[in-house]
Structure formats: structure tokens, C-alpha cells
Amino acid sequence: MNVQIESLNNGLIVSCQPVPGGAMDDDVYVVGFALAALSAGARGVRIESARYVAAVRQATPAPIIGLVKRDLTDSPVRITPFVDDVFALAQAGADIIAFDATDRVRPANVEALAQAVRDAGKLSMADCSSVDDARRALAAGVDYVGSTMSGYTGGPEPTEPDIELVARLRALTPNVIAEGRIRTPEQAQAAAKAGAACVVVGSAITRTEHVTDWFARALDAVYAPVPVVLPMVLGVDLGGTKIRASLVQAGAVLDTVVFATDRAGQPDGWLRAISDATLLWRGRYARVGMAVTGAVRNGAWRAMNTATLGLEGDFPLQAQAEAIFGVPVTIANDAQAAAWGEFRASADPSDLVFLTLSTGLGGGIVAQGRLMQGLAGHFGQMRVGDEPLEATLCGPWIAAEAHRLGHACQPKYVFDAAIAGEDWAMGIIDAVSARFARLCCDIQVMLDPARIVIGGGVGLADGFIERVQQHIARMCPAAAPQLQAARLGHEAGIIGIADLAQSDRMALYSISRKSGIAFTSGKCVKTRG
Ligand code: ADP
Ligand code: BMX
């Protein structure tokens, strides 16, 4: 018999989703959590995967919200991305089928998923990140809208639930499910008062690793000696010209190697070269952070411009790096990592944009204390005619232009010649500075950051920022950005990615099963040969 739309109303739903690959990722625990929750007053359960839905369905007639989570390389959408997933969940016995309803690149659109749920004779729940998502989903005929995806479509995860979104969804429909970061009875009450028809609680009830982590951190703060000694991180900054690897602890660089990127090579070779160059540090670091030129999404890495680095297609960087280094690996775009490094290194909490002028032209944005991820900040990919902006705004263009004028030399010597007053070189540097100034002015009117921080081999070259400032003063006096050289210099990316890796505690769980290494609050213990 199909459940009625009212069956979940005015109640608690417990999401029983074990940490993937964790110790509780098994039928017996999922069914146990579901039955325990239902026996204590939950009105329904939210269950991931057709296998677990089928197992729970055998054990109880209570309403089940089913979903499937997938990590796709060509889409950030994770929750029930395919129409076939809908049918599998329906077949397994789900009453309500949840799917991601965000407006992102996706294999199946919201209309097709909503229709598939109807075809299967089930109710649908659209997991939304915003009011616009919900509006579109309701137009597609979904039964419930949830606040599930709020805070998960870019930037670091917030810690608080998005009660305001719940209230805004309630203005659209009474069928609102509050979900996401609800950890206390008081937060659940706030969601209900904001108008949620029912409230989903997950991690706080069924993710032992998360709850243990909250308590362990709280106790660490009391028991650990102050200052807390943070474990070392191997930070890597892989650019189109050079690779820098450093041992980093608490924001301080302890040791560094720098070597040329083999531009004719491929990712496996670059990873091997990094591993070889840092072999002596093995055993000293507990995590690895890799900042790489190119776009980073869901553990995969892809070049935006193969002229900057000749990487073809998607490369599963996180998994491959974890296999090589044997510790959890956090990955990010190089300029975004540098933006974060600069943000953390300064006491100023206002918004900043970081620009690296190097082999390519990269950028990162920190807004309201959050690093924007995905493609955000890829200013070098903005089009000028058919070409990306970075085609004429990067180190290799300076070298090519010098060559064209009969001076075969590296950008550094073009800068030296410009300082020495040679016309040909002054012309080149002036053209680059003017283009860069225009970009800074455009960024200022788009994002109005408190400062634009500049890094990269060319960005930090002698006299470059001063020349850019001269152009800005002429070009856009009313919207002149505040320019600063990166205070961390060429280490901004390394320090930024080390900090991101340091705080990426959840990465610990992702490889604990695969590697046979169990991690307990920063220490690591080998559990099998
Ligand atoms: P990556 O792109 O690998 O991160 P860099 O930030 O060092 O590496 O940028 C490389 C580009 O910067 C190259 O085109 C290089 O010639 C240029 N470059 C490096 N050092 C200088 C310098 N002191 N002055 C001008 N250009 C430089
Ligand atoms: C390119 C792009 C960005 C990167 C920027 C700076 C690729 C391979 N890279 O715009 O992701 O941030 O270059 O990279 O498409 P770098 O190598 O110059 O430091």
C-alpha cells in the first residue's frame, strides 16, 4: 500500500546513512538504526541505496525515504542522479524518493526524475539548496521540498542548519522537510517552528564517527596542551611550470623542495615525482594537501586550459594520491588554495580575491569567510573573442612576445630589461599590466572585494604591481581595487592547502577501510598488514 503524503507530517525522520566504507556500513547496522529510531518515536526513516532500502523494508512497514548517492566525474549531483536509480529504489520498497534538485550540471533533469517517481507510484522529495530550486521542483510536480542541499553547493560546509531556508520554503508549500546539520533537539524545534512539516536528523543519531568526533574535539580543547600541536601536512602546489612540496605544521613551512613540472608528462608521473622528491618525509606527515592548476571537483581533476597544463580528461586525483601517499588527501585548485592561505594568514576577515599571474591566470574568492570552490575564480578562462583571457595574460605570452621581437628570453629577463628602460620590454610589460589592471577593475565592480591579493611568478615580479596600480588609477579611479602582494609570497598555495587538509577531518574516514589504517583523533594506527 502506498503511503499518504500526510504520513510523515509533524514528526521526526531519522536518516540512517552510515559513513561510506566505515565500520557501520552494513545491512545489520542500517536495519538496527532504523528499528531503534522507529521504536523511540521516529515517524519514518531516510535510507541510502536500494540494497539498504530493501533490507529495512523487510524489517518494517514504516515510511521510507529512499535515495542513492553516487560520485560522478561529470556532475556534482550526488543524490539519486539517474532515472534508473528512482526505479531501483521504488522496486526495493521506498515510499518517498529523494533526489538532488539543484540547478547544476546533471545527467537527468528534475522534471524527468519527478515524472519517474510518479510513474513508479511513489512520492517525491526534492533536495534543494535554495528557494529557486524548490520553485522549479514544485513546478515539476514534486510532493515535498527539503532544505537538504543548503550549504553543499560550494564553499566550506556551514555548521548550523539553514532554518531561514526552511521558513522561505514554507512560504511556497506546506510540504517542507527540514534537513541538514540538525544536531540538537532545539535545532529540530526551530525547524518545526519555521514551518517544516517534518524534520530529518541524520549524523547526530546514526553517524557514530561524526558524533564521536564532536565529543573528541570538545575534549581535545580541554585536555590537549595549549597550544595544540597539529600534525604535519605534506603540502603540494602543482603548477604548469613548477611543483613545490613542503612539510607544513600549523601554518609554518618546515622544509621545501621545488622542481619543474614535466610538461610532456601525465598525472601518474607527476605524482610519482612528488612521492620520490618527498620520500624522506614519509611517516612525518599525517595528511596530504594538493593544490593543482585546473578545476577540482568530487575528487577529480581536470584542466580548464590544456595550454597551461596538458592534462586530458578527468583524473581521479584524490583516490590516486591516497593510494600513493597512504594518508588522507585533500585536493583543491591552486589559486583557490592560495586565496584561502592569504585569508587565513591575515587578521582581516573581509572578502578577498586572489589572482595568480603565472603559467596561466588563476583566481580564488573568499566571501563571508568561505572559500568558493568549483570553477569560481577561474578569471583566466573568461573569453576575449575566441581565446581565454590567459592566452595573452600569462608568463608564456610574455616569453612568446619577447621572442617575436627578437629577444629569446624568459619573462624574468623581460622584466629586468623593462626596469633597465629597454623600449621593447617596457612595451610588453605595459601591455600585460594594462590587461591585468582591466581585470582587477572588472573584478572590483563584480564582487567589490576589500582587497585583491596578487601572487604567481609574474604577479610578484619586480615592479609589476606598481605598474598595474598606475593603470588602475587612470582606468577606474572610482572603483580602484586595493591591491596587495601575497604576504605568503610563493607559499600561499602550499600554506592554504595545508590548512584545508588540516581541517578536512572527514577525509580520515574515507580511506580508513580501503587502506586498513584506522585513524583516531589525529593519530593513526595500522590495523592490518
Ligand atoms: P606555476 O605556474 O607552475 O605555479 P609560477 O608561479 O612560478 O609557476 O609561474 C611561472 C611563470 O612565471 C613562468 O612563465 C615564469 O617564467 C614566470 N616567472 C617566474 N619567476 C619570474 C620572475 N621573477 N619574474 C617574472 N616572471 C617570472
Ligand atoms: C589556468 C587554470 C587554472 C589555474 C591557473 C593558474 C588549468 C590547467 N589551469 O587558468 O585552474 O588556477 O591556470 O595555474 O586549466 P598556474 O599553473 O599558472 O599556477
Side-chain angles (χ1 to χ4, degrees):
M1 196 184 72
N2 289 339
V3 298
Q4 301 301 308
I5 186 127
E6 302 78 24
S7 60
L8 296 176
N9 286 2
N10 307 327
L12 169 69
I13 298 164
V14 174
S15 181
C16 309
Q17 297 185 46
V19 170
M24 312 199 82
D25 192 1
D26 209 351
D27 297 30
V28 66
Y29 298 110
V30 178
V31 172
F33 271 129
L35 295 181
L38 292 165
S39 75
R43 186 149 300 179
V45 288
R46 184 167 153 124
I47 305 290
E48 192 274 329
S49 82
R51 170 183 147 197
Y52 287 154
V53 167
V56 174
R57 176 48 77 226
Q58 281 208 335
T60 173
I64 298 177
I65 302 177
L67 66 144
V68 170
K69 272 190 184 155
R70 297 190 184 281
D71 285 314
L72 306 177
T73 52
D74 51 358
S75 163
V77 168
R78 296 183 71 218
I79 300 179
T80 320
F82 298 113
V83 165
D84 280 352
D85 293 332
V86 170
F87 293 130
L89 289 165
Q91 181 80 26
D95 303 293
I96 298 159
I97 293 174
F99 52 81
D100 179 310
T102 58
D103 186 19
R104 298 183 291 175
V105 174
R106 49 188 311 138
N109 62 32
V110 170
E111 288 74 15
L113 293 165
Q115 185 59 47
V117 177
R118 278 194 296 276
D119 290 347
K122 305 294 179 182
L123 297 176
S124 51
M125 169 177 178
D127 288 347
C128 303
S129 68
S130 65
V131 175
D132 283 345
D133 290 348
R135 231 180 244 123
R136 273 189 302 273
L138 290 167
V142 301
D143 299 295
Y144 283 101
V145 292
S147 55
T148 324
M149 291 304 298
S150 165
Y152 298 115
T153 53
E157 264 181 50
T159 51
E160 296 292 311
D162 193 346
I163 304 295
E164 192 192 324
L165 178 61
V166 172
R168 295 178 68 204
L169 297 183
R170 181 65 180 79
L172 301 180
T173 170
N175 297 330
V176 176
I177 300 183
E179 178 168 359
R181 302 180 297 278
I182 297 172
R183 294 179 173 181
T184 65
E186 292 71 27
Q187 289 171 335
Q189 285 179 325
K193 286 182 191 155
C198 53
V199 178
V200 179
V201 178
S203 298
I205 298 178
T206 62
R207 282 200 159 164
T208 309
E209 295 90 330
H210 290 218
V211 183
T212 306
D213 180 54
W214 303 337
F215 282 93
R217 273 182 194 239
L219 289 180
D220 281 353
V222 176
Y223 291 139
V226 177
V228 176
V229 179
L230 295 171
M232 288 192 210
V233 175
L234 171 62
V236 177
D237 186 348
L238 193 163
T241 298
K242 50 138 194 33
I243 296 174
R244 177 185 293 268
S246 301
L247 260 189
V248 184
Q249 188 171 37
V253 171
L254 309 181
D255 209 347
T256 295
V257 287
V258 182
F259 52 98
T261 309
D262 173 11
R263 290 182 57 80
Q266 281 303 306
D268 288 326
W270 301 324
L271 282 176
R272 248 192 329 275
I274 295 164
S275 166
D276 290 349
T278 59
L279 212 53
L280 286 177
W281 302 340
R282 277 279 166 120
R284 293 179 66 193
Y285 53 83
R287 297 163 198 200
V288 173
M290 290 196 70
V292 290
T293 180
V296 168
R297 243 187 203 152
N298 297 331
W301 173 30
R302 187 187 189 95
M304 297 297 296
N305 180 358
T306 49
T308 304
L309 189 65
L311 168 66
E312 295 297 340
D314 276 343
F315 180 75
L317 179 61
Q318 188 184 17
Q320 296 292 89
E322 284 181 347
I324 286 193
F325 294 104
V327 296
V329 176
T330 298
I331 61 175
N333 166 264
D334 56 355
Q336 291 171 346
W340 186 247
E342 287 293 317
F343 178 75
R344 294 278 284 158
S346 145
D348 182 354
S350 38
D351 295 354
L352 72 80
V353 167
F354 179 90
L355 290 176
T356 173
L357 186 51
S358 35
T359 317
L361 168 62
I365 304 167
V366 180
Q368 299 184 342
R370 294 175 58 177
L371 174 66
M372 298 183 70
Q373 287 170 302
L375 296 184
H378 270 85
F379 301 110
Q381 306 311 311
M382 296 190 313
R383 297 282 132 175
V384 180
D386 286 339
E387 288 197 318
L389 175 60
E390 68 184 359
T392 53
L393 194 43
C394 63
W397 182 83
I398 297 176
E401 194 60 6
H403 193 261
R404 193 178 66 79
L405 297 175
H407 303 270
C409 60
Q410 291 300 310
K412 179 179 180 339
Y413 298 102
V414 182
F415 272 91
D416 290 347
I419 288 168
E422 293 184 37
D423 283 346
W424 66 272
M426 285 169 71
I428 295 175
I429 300 307
D430 207 48
V432 170
S433 318
R435 277 197 281 277
F436 195 82
R438 205 166 297 132
L439 171 65
C440 292
C441 294
D442 287 350
I443 289 173
Q444 197 63 36
V445 292
M446 265 189 283
L447 300 168
D448 201 18
R451 53 206 167 108
I452 298 183
V453 182
I454 297 170
V458 178
L460 293 176
D462 286 345
F464 178 69
I465 295 179
E466 291 74 13
R467 275 166 198 265
V468 174
Q469 268 160 337
Q470 287 160 10
H471 283 287
I472 287 176
R474 276 199 298 276
M475 238 175 239
C476 53
Q482 192 66 41
L483 299 194
Q484 282 175 8
R487 68 167 63 202
L488 300 176
H490 297 288
E491 290 176 335
I494 287 275
I495 293 175
I497 193 64
D499 188 71
L500 290 169
Q502 183 66 67
S503 53
D504 193 0
R505 269 173 97 89
M506 289 308 142
L508 292 177
Y509 306 124
S510 77
I511 72 156
S512 57
R513 260 257 173 113
K514 282 180 259 166
S515 63
I517 295 176
F519 292 87
T520 48
S521 61
K523 299 175 209 86
C524 102
V525 191
K526 200 125 181 30
T527 56
R528 48 169 205 261

PDB file of all heavy atoms in Angstrom, residues 3 52 112 131 139 157 167 227 252 294 318 329 335 349 381 521:
ATOM      1  N   VAL A   3       2.159   5.036   0.819  1.00  0.00           N
ATOM      2  CA  VAL A   3       1.965   5.926   1.963  1.00  0.00           C
ATOM      3  C   VAL A   3       1.265   7.197   1.497  1.00  0.00           C
ATOM      4  O   VAL A   3       1.355   7.590   0.337  1.00  0.00           O
ATOM      5  CB  VAL A   3       3.299   6.312   2.655  1.00  0.00           C
ATOM      6  CG1 VAL A   3       3.986   5.092   3.201  1.00  0.00           C
ATOM      7  CG2 VAL A   3       4.172   7.118   1.748  1.00  0.00           C
ATOM      8  N   TYR A  52      20.063  -1.122   0.953  1.00  0.00           N
ATOM      9  CA  TYR A  52      19.654  -0.863   2.338  1.00  0.00           C
ATOM     10  C   TYR A  52      18.143  -0.613   2.439  1.00  0.00           C
ATOM     11  O   TYR A  52      17.521  -0.955   3.437  1.00  0.00           O
ATOM     12  CB  TYR A  52      20.440   0.308   2.919  1.00  0.00           C
ATOM     13  CG  TYR A  52      21.891  -0.033   3.220  1.00  0.00           C
ATOM     14  CD1 TYR A  52      22.880   0.946   3.233  1.00  0.00           C
ATOM     15  CD2 TYR A  52      22.273  -1.338   3.517  1.00  0.00           C
ATOM     16  CE1 TYR A  52      24.207   0.635   3.512  1.00  0.00           C
ATOM     17  CE2 TYR A  52      23.589  -1.655   3.803  1.00  0.00           C
ATOM     18  CZ  TYR A  52      24.553  -0.669   3.797  1.00  0.00           C
ATOM     19  OH  TYR A  52      25.863  -0.971   4.080  1.00  0.00           O
ATOM     20  N   ALA A 112      12.346  15.016 -15.285  1.00  0.00           N
ATOM     21  CA  ALA A 112      12.401  13.582 -15.619  1.00  0.00           C
ATOM     22  C   ALA A 112      12.375  12.735 -14.345  1.00  0.00           C
ATOM     23  O   ALA A 112      11.698  11.692 -14.287  1.00  0.00           O
ATOM     24  CB  ALA A 112      13.664  13.281 -16.416  1.00  0.00           C
ATOM     25  N   VAL A 131      15.577  28.652  -2.561  1.00  0.00           N
ATOM     26  CA  VAL A 131      14.156  28.817  -2.876  1.00  0.00           C
ATOM     27  C   VAL A 131      13.926  28.572  -4.364  1.00  0.00           C
ATOM     28  O   VAL A 131      12.927  27.966  -4.768  1.00  0.00           O
ATOM     29  CB  VAL A 131      13.696  30.236  -2.479  1.00  0.00           C
ATOM     30  CG1 VAL A 131      12.262  30.483  -2.900  1.00  0.00           C
ATOM     31  CG2 VAL A 131      13.837  30.427  -0.983  1.00  0.00           C
ATOM     32  N   ALA A 139       7.223  23.222  -9.569  1.00  0.00           N
ATOM     33  CA  ALA A 139       6.645  23.345 -10.918  1.00  0.00           C
ATOM     34  C   ALA A 139       6.726  22.001 -11.645  1.00  0.00           C
ATOM     35  O   ALA A 139       5.893  21.695 -12.506  1.00  0.00           O
ATOM     36  CB  ALA A 139       7.380  24.428 -11.702  1.00  0.00           C
ATOM     37  N   GLU A 157      31.702  23.756   4.313  1.00  0.00           N
ATOM     38  CA  GLU A 157      30.402  23.445   4.904  1.00  0.00           C
ATOM     39  C   GLU A 157      30.099  24.355   6.078  1.00  0.00           C
ATOM     40  O   GLU A 157      30.936  24.530   6.944  1.00  0.00           O
ATOM     41  CB  GLU A 157      30.452  22.021   5.452  1.00  0.00           C
ATOM     42  CG  GLU A 157      29.914  20.999   4.522  1.00  0.00           C
ATOM     43  CD  GLU A 157      29.993  19.634   5.160  1.00  0.00           C
ATOM     44  OE1 GLU A 157      29.556  19.455   6.311  1.00  0.00           O
ATOM     45  OE2 GLU A 157      30.519  18.764   4.486  1.00  0.00           O
ATOM     46  N   ALA A 167      11.998  28.330   6.455  1.00  0.00           N
ATOM     47  CA  ALA A 167      10.879  29.288   6.528  1.00  0.00           C
ATOM     48  C   ALA A 167      10.508  29.786   5.130  1.00  0.00           C
ATOM     49  O   ALA A 167       9.321  29.947   4.801  1.00  0.00           O
ATOM     50  CB  ALA A 167      11.263  30.456   7.422  1.00  0.00           C
ATOM     51  N   PRO A 227      49.595  25.586  23.246  1.00  0.00           N
ATOM     52  CA  PRO A 227      48.865  25.420  22.009  1.00  0.00           C
ATOM     53  C   PRO A 227      48.821  23.963  21.548  1.00  0.00           C
ATOM     54  O   PRO A 227      49.746  23.210  21.811  1.00  0.00           O
ATOM     55  CB  PRO A 227      49.677  26.254  21.016  1.00  0.00           C
ATOM     56  CG  PRO A 227      51.071  26.223  21.550  1.00  0.00           C
ATOM     57  CD  PRO A 227      50.940  26.165  23.039  1.00  0.00           C
ATOM     58  N   ALA A 252      53.241  26.884   9.394  1.00  0.00           N
ATOM     59  CA  ALA A 252      54.669  27.197   9.203  1.00  0.00           C
ATOM     60  C   ALA A 252      55.287  26.166   8.263  1.00  0.00           C
ATOM     61  O   ALA A 252      55.063  24.965   8.423  1.00  0.00           O
ATOM     62  CB  ALA A 252      55.379  27.177  10.541  1.00  0.00           C
ATOM     63  N   GLY A 294      44.101  23.852 -12.513  1.00  0.00           N
ATOM     64  CA  GLY A 294      42.976  23.138 -13.129  1.00  0.00           C
ATOM     65  C   GLY A 294      41.794  23.104 -12.183  1.00  0.00           C
ATOM     66  O   GLY A 294      41.880  23.552 -11.045  1.00  0.00           O
ATOM     67  N   GLN A 318      42.271  12.489  -6.112  1.00  0.00           N
ATOM     68  CA  GLN A 318      42.251  12.210  -4.669  1.00  0.00           C
ATOM     69  C   GLN A 318      42.526  10.729  -4.404  1.00  0.00           C
ATOM     70  O   GLN A 318      43.381  10.376  -3.592  1.00  0.00           O
ATOM     71  CB  GLN A 318      40.910  12.624  -4.074  1.00  0.00           C
ATOM     72  CG  GLN A 318      40.945  12.530  -2.564  1.00  0.00           C
ATOM     73  CD  GLN A 318      39.614  12.842  -1.927  1.00  0.00           C
ATOM     74  OE1 GLN A 318      38.583  12.833  -2.591  1.00  0.00           O
ATOM     75  NE2 GLN A 318      39.629  13.086  -0.643  1.00  0.00           N
ATOM     76  N   VAL A 329      44.003  12.539   1.631  1.00  0.00           N
ATOM     77  CA  VAL A 329      44.453  13.625   0.751  1.00  0.00           C
ATOM     78  C   VAL A 329      43.289  14.582   0.499  1.00  0.00           C
ATOM     79  O   VAL A 329      42.178  14.149   0.216  1.00  0.00           O
ATOM     80  CB  VAL A 329      44.959  13.068  -0.600  1.00  0.00           C
ATOM     81  CG1 VAL A 329      45.340  14.210  -1.540  1.00  0.00           C
ATOM     82  CG2 VAL A 329      46.148  12.134  -0.395  1.00  0.00           C
ATOM     83  N   ALA A 335      44.902  28.286  -7.184  1.00  0.00           N
ATOM     84  CA  ALA A 335      44.651  29.689  -6.856  1.00  0.00           C
ATOM     85  C   ALA A 335      43.632  29.801  -5.719  1.00  0.00           C
ATOM     86  O   ALA A 335      43.711  30.705  -4.881  1.00  0.00           O
ATOM     87  CB  ALA A 335      44.153  30.432  -8.087  1.00  0.00           C
ATOM     88  N   PRO A 349      39.031  39.879   8.286  1.00  0.00           N
ATOM     89  CA  PRO A 349      38.037  38.881   7.860  1.00  0.00           C
ATOM     90  C   PRO A 349      37.242  39.298   6.622  1.00  0.00           C
ATOM     91  O   PRO A 349      36.330  38.588   6.221  1.00  0.00           O
ATOM     92  CB  PRO A 349      37.107  38.806   9.076  1.00  0.00           C
ATOM     93  CG  PRO A 349      37.163  40.176   9.663  1.00  0.00           C
ATOM     94  CD  PRO A 349      38.510  40.764   9.341  1.00  0.00           C
ATOM     95  N   GLN A 381      39.823  32.074 -17.574  1.00  0.00           N
ATOM     96  CA  GLN A 381      39.017  31.371 -18.591  1.00  0.00           C
ATOM     97  C   GLN A 381      37.940  32.268 -19.193  1.00  0.00           C
ATOM     98  O   GLN A 381      37.177  31.818 -20.051  1.00  0.00           O
ATOM     99  CB  GLN A 381      38.366  30.118 -17.988  1.00  0.00           C
ATOM    100  CG  GLN A 381      39.351  29.184 -17.320  1.00  0.00           C
ATOM    101  CD  GLN A 381      40.545  28.891 -18.202  1.00  0.00           C
ATOM    102  OE1 GLN A 381      40.394  28.555 -19.375  1.00  0.00           O
ATOM    103  NE2 GLN A 381      41.751  29.044 -17.662  1.00  0.00           N
ATOM    104  N   SER A 521      41.447  10.482  16.294  1.00  0.00           N
ATOM    105  CA  SER A 521      41.772  11.890  16.579  1.00  0.00           C
ATOM    106  C   SER A 521      43.221  12.262  16.274  1.00  0.00           C
ATOM    107  O   SER A 521      44.003  12.612  17.152  1.00  0.00           O
ATOM    108  CB  SER A 521      41.394  12.273  18.003  1.00  0.00           C
ATOM    109  OG  SER A 521      42.051  11.532  18.932  1.00  0.00           O
TER     110      SER A 521
END
